[in-house]
Amino acid sequence: GILDHDVDAVKIDFDYRVKDFTFALGYSSEHDPNYRYCSMHQSTIFGVSWYENLWLDQCGLGAGASGGPWIADMDENGVGTLFSINSWGFDDKIGMAGPSLRTQDG
């Protein structure tokens, strides 16, 4: 098949603000080859003092999941709006951070 004929385009929100519920998807190396997800309310966190990241505090996605999509307003068909990606987590606690796509520093 041809990708742009076989698959609908994904909406991307470059002006996203923290909303209530998020789906984060990715392949964590410890669960390879299974595609995993987190679904929960989000908040924000400062990984460094000068940049506020989006944050999923109970997300268990780990190494290997980086770059996976964060989707808001997902419907029963799995269609929603991309607004961030899996980026980083801490070594000593659960959670996944994602950049805001609305900033030049994202």
Side-chain angles (χ1 to χ4, degrees):
I2 300 172
L3 184 62
D4 62 344
H5 288 32
D6 297 339
V7 179
D8 292 332
V10 174
K11 291 185 229 174
I12 300 176
D13 186 347
F14 289 101
D15 196 32
Y16 181 84
R17 306 225 185 244
V18 173
K19 294 184 181 178
D20 288 339
F21 206 77
T22 301
F23 292 86
L25 306 131
Y27 291 97
S28 290
S29 59
E30 71 269 17
H31 298 289
D32 188 36
N34 299 316
Y35 199 52
R36 311 284 289 185
Y37 74 96
C38 297
S39 56
M40 65 193 61
H41 295 277
Q42 63 168 278
S43 60
T44 61
I45 191 170
F46 284 87
V48 292
S49 62
W50 48 267
Y51 186 80
E52 186 174 23
N53 291 269
L54 302 172
W55 180 249
L56 299 172
D57 67 346
Q58 295 298 311
C59 185
L61 294 174
S66 295
W70 284 28
I71 307 291
D73 305 321
M74 187 181 294
D75 67 18
E76 64 276 356
N77 296 313
V79 176
T81 302
L82 174 76
F83 68 93
S84 189
I85 60 170
N86 297 324
S87 183
W88 60 270
F90 295 104
D91 289 335
D92 60 344
K93 69 178 182 176
I94 196 168
M96 177 62 71
S100 169
L101 301 179
R102 68 185 306 271
T103 69
Q104 66 184 18
D105 297 327

